[in-house]
Amino acid sequence: MTKRIIIVGAGHNGLVCAAYLARAGREVLVLEANAQVGGAAVTRTFAPGYQVPAVAHLLYGFDPAIERELQLRQHGFTDAKSRVLTVALNPDGAPLVHDGREVVSGLSHAEDRQAFTDFMHKMRRLAALLKRQHGRTPPQLTWASWRDAWPLVRLALQMRLLGRADMRELLRMITMPMHDVLEESFAGDLLKGALAVDAVLGTKLGPRSGNTVLNFLHRYTGASAPRVPVGGMGAVSESLASAARAAGVQIRLGARVAAINIESGRATGVTLASGEVIAASTVVSGADPKTTFERLVGLQYLEAELARRIHHMRCEGTAAKLHVALRALPQFKGVDAALVGERLLIAPSALYVDEAFNPAKYGEYSTDPIVEISIPSIADPTLAPAGHHVLSAIVQYAPAHLNGGWEAQRAAFEARVLAVLERYAPGFGSHIVATELLTPADLETQFGLRGGHWHHGELTLDQYLTLRPVPGLGHYATPVQALYLCGAGCHPGGGVMGRAGRNAARVVLQGGVS
Amino acid sequence: MNKADVIVVGAGHNGLTSAAFLAKAGLKVLVLEKNPWIGGAAVSRSLHKDWIYSNCSYVCSLLRPEIFRELELGKHGLHVVPYGGGVTFTRDGDILGNYVDEEVKRREIMRYSARDGDAYLRYSRDVMRQCRLVRSLLMRTPPDPTSWRWRDLTEMRHIGREFAALGPAVLADTIRFHTMSIADYLNEYFESDVVKANLAGSGIIGTALGVQSPGTAYVLLHHYMGDVDGQMGAWGFARGGMGAVSQALASALTSFGGTIKVDAPVAQIVVRGGRVRGVALDNGDEYSAPVVISGLDPKRTFLGLLASGDLDPAIAKRARDFKIRGSSGKLNIALDGLPTFPALGKNNPLAAGDMHFLDSLERYERAYDDWKRGMWSRDPYLDLLIPSLTDPTMAPPGKHFMSVFVQYVPVKVKGQDWTDADREAFKKTVFQQISRYSPDFESLVLHAEVRTPRELEAEVGLTEGNIFQGELTFDQLLFNRPFPGFAQYRGPVKGMYMCGSGTHPGGGVMAAPGANAAREVLLDLKRGNTVPNGWSDD
Amino acid sequence: MRTPREHFRLVVKYTPFHSRTVAANELNLWHRWRDYSVADAYFDVSLEYTALRNTCAVFDISPMTKHRITGPDALAFMNRLVTRDVAKIKPGRVGYAVWCDEQGQVVDDGTIFHLSPGVYRLCSQERQLDWLHTARLGFDVTVVEETEDVAALSLQGPTSCATLCALGLTGIETLTPFGMRTFAFGEAELLVSRTGFTGDLGYELWIDPAHAEALWDALFEAGNLYGIRPLGTHALDIARIEAGYIQAGVDFLPADHAIRADRTRSPFELDLAWLVDFSKPHFTGRRALLAEQSRGSRYRLVRLDVAGNKPATDAYVYDAKRRVVGTVTSAVWSPMSKASIALASVAMPHGAVGTPLWAEIYYQKELKWNRTNVECTVLAGPSYDPPRRKVTPAPMR
């Protein structure tokens, strides 16, 4: 009988999991449907000569422990830019610039300066508590024994150790909408708009939706400012793949897994789209939970109620990706040339974000969307022909389940987004060489993200920690023996962090059961 | 003369409840009320000849039976009359009826979706589980989770055990229930939009949240956990209008020797030497007492009753940030006869219950969008009742009193104060929606009182006209209500207490906040407790 | 547009046999069974019971919840649903089954009719549409409720076979227990299964509601010489307790109704271990039941022979040290064994066969309440199990 462990999908979590398993001496085979590794963290060509990070474009919380333990620096991982500033574009003047800790320039209300510093400091302290859970398997919701109860008790103690004031703030704020917290804390619209984006990006939530403070904290569990690796996000994946291979992992590209095979309640391997069957002693799925169970495993192998919970898991993506090849660097209104390479936001107020969100509730796209722009070719000129640039923009809200479907409306939506960009960067349109719009529907077909959801599932308290992805699957192990999950659908969730993969590897090695 | 052991500010139902339990314990209690009448938002007012309006709160289900019994409110004249029925009208001319009988209700739902009929049983079970959990907390003071005091620790342990007893699966459901939106929650059970719309209203009543806002599933509970005679989730009218609740409480209070003074608006709590000495009225009169309990909402209590010098600025900020958003209005209407609802037919007993006109979740959410933009909903959520079909004291024979709760209604109209013209236009919006389902309704209207948040605030004293004295979201519930550190009914000054709906367990004519506050006062005064413990559901 | 609202003029529905049951119900005693009104008793409970055990009696089971399951995955679906191996129920056969939730707690029990290859009918007491739709996820099956589309009578008792022969159902005596066969009945098709809820020789008859009244009439005419009588719920209840059959909502709380923790029971705790087939790789509740098997159950269902002549209704059950160890769920005076018998749920490890238990019985005579403590014997099997139940060809009287 084979001892091989198969990892489905060479996304960053799959690669991390593979590398750790191989380093523990296991025989590991990673099967990837696409022609390159990385899943949603890839750099790819969208027009001849132009490359962009195809999905994720900024690196927030990549686990430094993984970076260290897998010696990623030796496998080609370097920062092109280590502290990316956030530049909140102002339709009427100078933008607001902050570095995640302090406001650098552009404040409309002086009192916001200290308020911002204090606020971010507080949020980092609270985020640190969440971060402390990231490296662990979530606690069980049972008091059957002290052993079972300990992780929960430990979490309670950690909360106590925050001190009375912070603990109270955490318990008060954890369910709150970002809008309410912003109203409590700040006066300036531009600042509130920028922070609202941090709370809603990648979700189907608006700033007035509960759980957005949670998403904000989740974003800041990583670093206070994002960074950009040399070679784009794909380089992170390439370095992971290189580290994994060095540890003995075998990676097969273009090998689409069509089914995870189950016999007598146990995963026995996979069947590829080509029909090839590969046996394994253990299968670890880096695909999202819905894809894993509804398409690869089949819900019939689960308990009926678990199948129902997976069926109802919320993972409708609302973020589209727009790539633009430019023959020149665009000029954004009021933005210094030195700042164009930073993270540019179009979200001039929290109200703007909320109005952008409203149509998504009814299956419509935002006519005035929020946009997060990165021009990676500034830090990394290899991405475009000399003198040319690529612009990578996350555009929200573009709900996956658009009324009438995306095919009929993608051109209209792209035109809307370009018009918004034109408003902030007059003359932008004249620089365009080529564009590529990836709607959530495209993300689903091209990257296997169910519902086009970047985080493999909405990050809300009902899908958080032990309840992520759904109750009963919160510990990486599944009710199917020898089948594990390692993707962002698991704790601790989305973002290119790698922690789900690392945690899953630990559980696999311990032979954990759900 | 002007001295008491305890002064209660505001003769709302919670103030009266607190006062009654304290008077029962032998304390000299004085209740001061700004209006010429008592009752706060639980009043019966005759604003049109021969009619009685429950012009604020209009139904009675949450009132804790433990309190009813302990204060012998029956003897003091309170009669809660259960009513049945209720209906959601659909745009295609049909209805979804809320039959009292569970089997019949299921069959009614099955007309819209066969599987939803059966899913309703599962839904009821799951909601009931949550009701039981929350009900067990109603008559208790929330523990401070950050405290190391013995009492807080034992209370935390108690709650921990309640949760642990649920088992991991139900515990997971519990976390989900309390953090999800009512729309997402209903989507996990039902496929028919009409069925979902029929149930969704309870999730948003009184709040400034939409059906898609996470946290609304809990609000739903607030409307399910009441009971009439042990029938959980049942609703009733106070015979004679909601003022009957206040009158019975007042009667109980005076029977224990307490005093109520109306037309006595309190301007400030008098603080000297770091503790409460009494209160000063608007006219300058002073009343002294070592204990003052405020039944007002947290904003009015902290920012109005306390002089700014007596309040730590950090606490003042908490009070300012407290979310007390007006989102609803009310029409009280005298009718010359019973309006006909063609979809209901004649003499349909369903008419005795709450009537609703939103038949899809999208209409709910769009109604909320209007509010977010500073407008009343163009297609609002109405909770319409004709209490006179059940209670003959409300209107002359053959005539009717109609109570129309309206949501969403903003505190300011596009950032401006309400004008009389706005109010008229708002009334028209509501009338139009009713008329669409009852063509003869408008012709029967004899008198209509239109109450926007402006009137609610001015008359009752509810800031922004929020009927719950503050949003019922987790950041303002339990140990967070009204805000962290002040959830145990004690104010920031020694001798000052709070007993309004702004404290745990929140709004609705429940009287539990008042009773819990009285228990805390008695504890501090080292008096014997007169407040009953909550009854077990087992 | 929706179907008309006339539906709700009838708060309680009538079964397809209503015109006949109403005529037969001399006592006018009714109760509600889900959506329907059914007879408690027709003329006299003990005489109805006597007819059941001595001649034959007819019980209207039309309100039974019935679902039809079809589609390529029908067998796989049924096998994931219930705890037993449905593949062993061949076409033309019926099987008793229970199904559990993921905690391994019984949702309901019922019978599976393998109507034709890959076509199943599931009969249960409780409503199951929501549960079946949950269980359906991931399967290519169609689940349709057909409660209203099938009228059904249960004909039970020693002369039931003779009555059916007189009805013209040639060869019915060769039908084995849990077998079924179709016959022509006028223009309709009549499905007859050798099943029942009385522990006696008996059959269940399934037909299009349009022919229900004709079937009733023909059956009573055919049974005239064989002592046929209508049977109400009260008399049926005596028989089912004698047979040791459990009833949902009485002897166990369906798991999908339970609000409080620890109120539900697993198949092991209902003495239904024989229905759990762990050789099946997947079924809902399997993991929990495996765990229970290794950990041990919390409760045990016991059949009791209660000393004396007082039915132990609602009695507490004590052990020899007078500690409460359980409660009686069903109790009756058994006319066949002339004994007070009961079903009870007791905490483990109590209630092993042969060990003594005690029941505390409250009863009144002429408004005076008395209390008695009596010893109970745990029985190994049902109180009444006549050989004719299993014999094929079926006896004629």
Side-chain angles (χ1 to χ4, degrees):
Chain A
M1 196 179 137
T2 179
K3 296 245 173 160
R4 182 189 299 128
I5 298 176
I6 287 179
I7 311 268
V8 181
H12 66 278
N13 276 312
L15 292 171
V16 168
C17 186
Y20 277 96
L21 290 173
R23 283 158 58 96
R26 302 302 171 95
E27 180 193 343
V28 183
L29 170 65
V30 178
L31 299 170
E32 167 59 43
N34 286 335
Q36 59 187 126
V37 298
V42 293
T43 305
R44 68 175 199 183
T45 302
F46 71 98
Y50 299 89
Q51 286 182 293
V52 278
V55 187
H57 62 188
L58 294 166
L59 193 55
Y60 271 88
F62 197 77
D63 189 352
I66 296 175
E67 207 175 311
R68 194 174 57 245
E69 288 163 8
L70 298 183
Q71 299 166 311
L72 295 185
R73 300 268 155 196
Q74 289 162 32
H75 292 281
F77 177 71
T78 21
D79 284 340
K81 202 166 170 53
S82 61
R83 288 194 67 79
V84 178
L85 298 175
T86 293
V87 180
L89 299 178
N90 184 349
D92 311 311
L96 179 135
V97 184
H98 76 76
D99 66 359
R101 290 172 182 273
E102 287 174 347
V103 176
V104 176
S105 67
L107 264 187
S108 57
H109 296 73
E111 67 268 33
D112 281 352
R113 181 176 304 283
Q114 192 57 40
F116 181 80
T117 308
D118 294 346
F119 178 78
M120 294 307 285
H121 193 52
K122 176 168 79 181
M123 295 307 259
R124 273 198 303 280
R125 292 197 307 270
L126 301 186
L129 177 85
L130 302 187
K131 187 179 177 179
R132 229 166 283 151
Q133 316 312 316
H134 284 183
R136 300 200 168 102
T137 307
Q140 308 214 21
L141 298 176
T142 165
W143 282 257
S145 70
W146 267 107
R147 213 180 125 83
D148 290 341
W150 168 240
L152 212 53
V153 173
R154 182 175 56 197
L155 178 60
L157 287 175
Q158 284 174 345
M159 264 161 68
R160 285 256 160 156
L161 290 174
L162 283 173
R164 172 169 282 188
D166 277 0
M167 179 182 175
R168 280 183 172 158
E169 277 300 81
L170 182 71
L171 288 174
R172 184 180 76 95
M173 290 169 69
I174 193 73
T175 59
M176 279 178 78
M178 193 62 181
H179 169 272
D180 296 353
V181 173
L182 294 174
E183 287 302 306
E184 288 176 3
S185 311
F186 304 110
D189 279 341
L190 209 48
L191 182 58
K192 286 192 270 192
L195 292 173
V197 169
D198 286 343
V200 301
L201 210 61
T203 70
K204 195 187 174 184
L205 297 168
R208 300 188 85 129
S209 310
N211 288 312
T212 41
V213 167
L214 175 73
N215 273 278
F216 185 88
L217 288 171
H218 183 72
R219 183 169 297 267
Y220 284 93
T221 50
S224 50
R227 50 189 180 151
V228 179
V230 171
M233 295 299 281
V236 183
S237 308
E238 292 297 344
S239 70
L240 282 170
S242 166
R245 286 195 184 99
V249 173
Q250 203 196 336
I251 301 175
R252 264 180 73 180
L253 299 173
R256 178 177 296 278
V257 172
I260 294 171
N261 302 329
I262 312 292
E263 274 169 41
S264 299
R266 185 180 179 90
T268 57
V270 302
T271 303
L272 300 186
S274 63
E276 183 187 348
V277 174
I278 307 174
S281 66
T282 298
V283 178
V284 184
S285 174
D288 66 83
K290 274 203 180 198
T291 301
T292 302
F293 287 105
E294 292 186 348
R295 295 190 186 159
L296 301 182
V297 174
L299 291 177
Q300 64 269 31
Y301 294 106
L302 304 179
E303 314 276 314
E305 292 124 302
L306 182 58
R308 178 168 65 205
R309 291 196 292 271
I310 290 169
H311 179 71
H312 288 302
M313 181 191 172
R314 294 196 313 284
C315 63
E316 187 188 359
T318 63
K321 195 70 198 296
L322 180 69
H323 303 138
V324 189
L326 297 162
R327 56 179 69 84
L329 200 57
Q331 295 291 313
F332 286 90
K333 272 198 263 181
V335 179
D336 273 8
L339 289 173
V340 186
E342 308 293 336
R343 170 185 183 238
L344 311 180
L345 292 182
I346 297 178
S349 69
L351 181 67
Y352 178 95
V353 180
D354 195 44
E355 286 292 345
F357 168 60
N358 285 335
K361 298 189 289 192
Y362 314 114
E364 300 154 14
Y365 60 72
S366 319
T367 46
D368 288 282
I370 53 177
V371 190
E372 181 189 79
I373 302 160
S374 164
I375 306 180
S377 51
I378 294 175
D380 186 355
T382 62
L383 296 172
H388 286 217
H389 285 279
V390 288
L391 177 143
S392 162
I394 298 174
V395 188
Q396 197 167 306
Y397 296 79
H401 307 303
L402 190 71
N403 297 339
W406 271 109
E407 270 328 296
Q409 294 168 82
R410 56 184 306 132
F413 180 63
E414 183 176 321
R416 262 321 298 172
V417 182
L418 291 175
V420 170
L421 289 170
E422 182 75 27
R423 201 188 311 150
Y424 284 83
F428 178 85
S430 62
H431 302 317
I432 297 175
V433 178
T435 61
E436 178 191 44
L437 176 71
L438 296 175
T439 67
D442 299 323
L443 296 176
E444 172 156 358
T445 48
Q446 295 182 27
F447 299 95
L449 297 166
R450 182 63 179 272
H453 200 293
W454 293 41
H455 303 321
H456 286 196
E458 201 78 326
L459 192 84
T460 48
L461 286 165
D462 58 302
Q463 299 187 161
Y464 191 65
L465 209 67
T466 313
L467 309 185
R468 187 168 187 84
V470 296
L473 289 178
H475 302 96
Y476 306 99
T478 74
V480 178
Q481 278 180 63
L483 176 67
Y484 298 82
L485 296 175
C486 75
C490 304
H491 170 77
V496 181
M497 299 197 293
R499 293 197 186 90
R502 184 166 172 258
N503 290 346
R506 191 179 57 240
V507 173
V508 170
L509 291 171
Q510 289 164 352
V513 290
S514 85
Chain B
M1 185 61 208
N2 287 355
K3 281 178 82 157
D5 294 328
V6 177
I7 289 173
V8 177
V9 184
H13 69 278
N14 277 312
L16 292 170
T17 302
S18 256
F21 282 116
L22 294 170
K24 195 178 177 194
L27 293 167
K28 190 178 171 205
V29 182
L30 171 64
V31 180
L32 298 171
E33 165 60 42
K34 73 165 177 126
N35 282 326
W37 62 83
I38 63 159
V43 289
S44 305
R45 305 209 43 215
S46 183
L47 300 175
H48 185 69
K49 190 179 172 323
D50 296 332
W51 263 260
I52 293 172
Y53 291 177
S54 287
N55 78 333
C56 296
S57 64
Y58 50 99
V59 281
C60 186
S61 156
L62 293 169
L63 183 65
R64 296 311 307 155
E66 299 94 334
I67 295 169
F68 191 112
R69 177 176 171 157
E70 193 68 26
L71 295 178
E72 300 182 296
L73 297 183
K75 250 189 223 171
H76 290 289
L78 180 57
H79 180 189
V80 178
V81 194
Y83 66 84
V87 61
T88 291
F89 292 86
T90 65
R91 278 167 293 180
D92 64 6
D94 203 345
I95 56 159
L96 176 67
N98 289 317
Y99 293 86
V100 179
D101 185 276
E102 288 292 303
E103 303 282 356
V104 178
K105 184 166 185 174
R106 170 178 54 72
R107 275 162 57 199
E108 173 74 342
I109 293 172
M110 287 176 80
R111 291 201 303 125
Y112 290 84
S113 156
R115 53 178 302 193
D116 282 5
D118 277 12
Y120 180 73
L121 304 176
R122 175 163 59 94
Y123 170 81
S124 303
R125 175 200 68 176
D126 289 350
V127 172
M128 204 47 67
R129 282 178 177 166
Q130 298 306 323
C131 278
R132 272 173 43 76
L133 186 67
V134 171
R135 278 161 62 103
S136 74
L137 303 174
L138 295 178
M139 293 295 286
R140 309 178 80 99
T141 297
D144 179 353
T146 68
S147 148
W148 295 104
R149 286 191 315 155
W150 180 247
R151 186 176 171 217
D152 288 311
L153 292 175
T154 48
E155 190 65 16
M156 284 296 284
R157 188 160 146 262
H158 169 82
I159 293 175
R161 285 189 167 170
E162 292 271 325
F163 278 81
L166 299 174
V170 179
L171 186 53
D173 282 348
T174 302
I175 299 170
R176 287 163 50 74
F177 180 87
H178 289 267
T179 58
M180 284 171 76
S181 76
I182 184 65
D184 287 336
Y185 192 72
L186 292 170
N187 282 336
E188 295 203 348
Y189 295 87
F190 304 109
E191 59 183 9
S192 156
D193 217 19
V194 178
V195 174
K196 287 186 254 186
N198 180 50
L199 295 166
S202 304
I204 48 116
I205 283 197
T207 75
L209 298 169
V211 290
Q212 292 198 25
S213 308
T216 36
Y218 169 79
V219 180
L220 176 94
L221 215 52
H222 219 75
H223 297 95
Y224 271 79
M225 66 192 177
D227 64 293
V228 176
D229 300 329
Q231 177 90 20
M232 247 207 257
W235 284 82
F237 295 116
R239 196 171 191 273
M242 288 304 283
V245 175
S246 307
Q247 294 304 333
L249 286 166
S251 170
L253 167 63
T254 44
S255 78
F256 298 129
T259 314
I260 304 171
K261 195 170 162 52
V262 294
D263 278 323
V266 173
Q268 207 153 67
I269 294 176
V270 178
V271 177
R272 272 193 301 271
R275 64 160 304 141
V276 163
R277 303 292 172 181
V279 299
L281 302 192
D282 278 356
N283 64 12
D285 289 357
E286 290 210 8
Y287 291 84
S288 72
V291 171
V292 174
I293 308 177
S294 169
L296 312 189
D297 67 62
K299 274 193 201 282
R300 279 178 145 71
T301 299
F302 280 75
L303 304 174
L305 292 181
L306 282 177
S308 56
D310 295 328
L311 190 61
D312 180 333
I315 298 170
K317 172 152 175 56
R318 280 271 184 254
R320 275 197 300 277
D321 290 341
F322 182 70
K323 288 186 287 182
I324 182 162
R325 295 166 175 165
S327 65
S328 59
K330 179 100 191 287
L331 268 65
N332 297 298
I333 301 167
L335 295 169
D336 204 17
L338 189 62
T340 50
F341 290 87
L344 267 181
K346 275 211 178 314
N347 299 324
N348 192 329
L350 291 173
D354 313 60
M355 300 191 208
H356 305 123
F357 306 97
L358 295 190
D359 60 355
S360 76
L361 291 180
E362 178 170 335
R363 287 174 74 193
Y364 276 97
E365 190 65 25
R366 289 198 186 272
Y368 173 56
D369 286 350
D370 289 340
W371 178 88
K372 288 199 293 186
R373 295 177 180 126
M375 275 303 294
W376 64 85
S377 310
R378 286 158 294 180
D379 183 18
Y381 167 71
L382 304 188
D383 185 36
L384 184 151
L385 275 160
I386 308 177
S388 48
L389 279 172
T390 306
D391 178 356
T393 68
M394 305 298 282
K399 317 285 180 188
H400 287 281
F401 162 56
M402 181 187 272
S403 160
V404 189
F405 175 88
V406 191
Q407 196 162 322
Y408 298 83
V409 188
V411 176
K412 292 190 173 224
V413 180
K414 293 206 174 286
Q416 307 295 315
D417 287 330
W418 278 84
T419 63
D420 290 343
D422 290 335
R423 212 166 72 133
E424 203 51 37
F426 164 63
K427 176 175 122 180
K428 203 170 155 202
T429 302
V430 176
F431 272 28
Q432 271 172 353
Q433 199 189 59
I434 302 171
S435 296
R436 213 174 299 150
Y437 302 90
S438 176
D440 62 352
F441 157 74
E442 276 206 63
S443 66
L444 295 168
V445 175
L446 297 172
H447 169 259
E449 183 200 17
V450 182
R451 291 160 74 86
T452 70
R454 174 180 71 163
E455 286 78 29
L456 223 58
E457 170 150 13
E459 185 184 299
V460 187
L462 291 167
T463 300
E464 295 198 9
N466 182 304
I467 64 168
F468 292 143
Q469 283 200 355
E471 284 281 77
L472 291 176
T473 44
F474 182 76
D475 53 306
Q476 300 191 157
L477 282 173
L478 277 170
F479 47 80
N480 285 334
R481 192 166 186 88
F483 22 86
F486 292 94
Q488 298 184 333
Y489 307 96
R490 289 168 186 79
V493 183
K494 202 166 161 55
M496 177 184 163
Y497 296 82
M498 298 168 282
C499 73
S501 293
T503 60
H504 171 79
V509 183
M510 190 171 359
N516 289 343
R519 187 181 50 240
E520 294 303 313
V521 172
L522 291 170
L523 191 72
D524 287 355
L525 295 180
K526 300 191 168 57
R527 290 280 187 141
N529 183 26
T530 53
V531 179
N533 291 330
W535 287 338
S536 159
D537 275 328
D538 284 322
Chain C
M1 291 297 285
R2 311 283 168 191
T3 52
R5 283 185 301 282
E6 272 67 18
H7 197 51
F8 286 96
R9 298 264 165 85
L10 276 183
V11 168
V12 181
K13 288 195 267 194
Y14 299 135
T15 79
F17 300 102
H18 186 69
S19 62
R20 301 306 187 262
T21 54
V22 108
N25 199 329
E26 296 171 11
L27 304 175
N28 202 17
L29 286 177
W30 303 88
H31 76 278
R32 279 174 75 183
W33 175 1
R34 289 270 160 233
D35 300 341
Y36 295 89
S37 193
V38 293
D40 283 325
Y42 287 91
F43 53 99
D44 180 275
V45 173
S46 72
L47 291 179
E48 289 167 36
Y49 168 83
T50 303
L52 165 67
R53 294 291 189 218
N54 181 47
T55 53
C56 70
V58 178
F59 182 76
D60 180 0
I61 54 169
S62 303
M64 289 277 283
T65 307
K66 300 175 277 287
H67 290 89
R68 181 176 287 251
I69 293 121
T70 53
D73 290 347
L75 173 62
F77 166 80
M78 293 302 291
N79 252 336
R80 209 271 299 253
L81 177 74
V82 302
T83 59
R84 67 179 286 175
D85 188 355
V86 180
K88 291 182 179 160
I89 305 172
K90 300 295 176 201
R93 300 291 299 169
V94 185
Y96 174 62
V98 288
W99 47 104
C100 294
D101 66 5
E102 64 179 335
Q103 319 285 336
Q105 305 299 296
V106 175
V107 172
D108 202 359
D109 64 344
T111 40
I112 298 167
F113 289 70
H114 198 166
L115 298 172
S116 58
V119 177
Y120 295 91
R121 174 183 292 157
L122 183 66
C123 285
S124 58
Q125 188 191 307
E126 301 296 318
R127 298 203 48 84
Q128 297 299 333
L129 196 56
D130 177 58
W131 184 256
L132 294 178
H133 270 280
T134 295
R136 203 183 67 85
L137 290 170
F139 291 94
D140 186 3
V141 291
T142 308
V143 177
V144 179
E145 183 177 356
E146 53 179 16
T147 302
E148 287 190 43
D149 307 330
V150 182
L153 291 176
S154 180
L155 174 69
Q156 305 278 310
T159 62
S160 55
C161 185
T163 298
L164 292 183
C165 285
L167 187 65
L169 309 188
T170 315
I172 188 71
E173 68 280 1
T174 61
L175 189 65
T176 55
F178 288 99
M180 63 174 140
R181 204 174 288 170
T182 53
F183 297 89
F185 179 78
E187 285 163 21
E189 183 180 79
L190 174 66
L191 175 70
V192 182
S193 57
R194 188 169 165 187
T195 49
F197 199 48
T198 59
D200 214 313
L201 171 65
Y203 300 86
E204 289 171 333
L205 291 70
W206 313 81
I207 198 162
D208 178 342
H211 302 271
E213 289 164 339
L215 175 65
W216 177 285
D217 295 342
L219 198 60
F220 274 79
E221 198 181 316
N224 194 27
L225 297 177
Y226 301 100
I228 194 168
R229 292 286 182 274
L231 182 74
T233 308
H234 290 339
L236 177 74
D237 204 40
I238 302 172
R240 73 100 189 161
I241 298 170
E242 282 183 331
Y245 294 160
I246 55 169
Q247 191 180 342
V250 177
D251 300 295
F252 71 95
L253 180 67
D256 57 345
H257 294 190
I259 293 168
R260 292 163 180 81
D262 199 40
R263 297 297 199 271
T264 56
R265 296 290 183 269
S266 76
F268 299 125
E269 293 166 345
L270 295 175
D271 196 25
L272 297 173
W274 62 279
L275 283 176
V276 181
D277 186 348
F278 284 123
S279 69
K280 281 200 303 180
H282 325 284
F283 60 85
T284 298
R286 185 177 188 269
R287 284 158 53 86
L289 291 174
L290 268 178
E292 178 178 336
Q293 198 184 37
S294 62
R295 187 188 59 229
S297 301
R298 302 162 302 166
Y299 302 98
R300 165 153 49 201
L301 178 112
V302 291
R303 298 180 179 83
L304 298 177
D305 183 322
V306 182
N309 60 354
K310 309 288 184 297
T313 311
D314 299 335
Y316 269 128
V317 178
Y318 296 83
D319 67 0
K321 292 182 180 163
R322 289 287 186 268
R323 288 177 304 202
V324 174
V325 296
T327 49
V328 166
T329 54
S330 292
V332 78
W333 171 257
S334 163
M336 292 310 291
S337 39
K338 298 293 179 245
S340 169
I341 58 169
L343 304 179
S345 181
V346 297
M348 294 295 273
H350 304 281
V353 172
T355 58
L357 290 171
W358 297 77
E360 184 180 34
I361 302 173
Y362 288 74
Y363 65 96
Q364 58 124 327
K365 296 284 176 189
E366 296 182 319
L367 298 187
K368 181 180 185 304
W369 280 91
N370 304 297
R371 184 180 67 168
T372 173
N373 268 294
V374 294
E375 192 170 352
C376 310
T377 312
V378 179
L379 301 174
S383 313
Y384 182 66
D385 189 12
R388 63 177 175 251
R389 180 171 76 92
K390 290 180 194 151
V391 172
T392 311
M396 287 295 160
R397 60 185 95 144

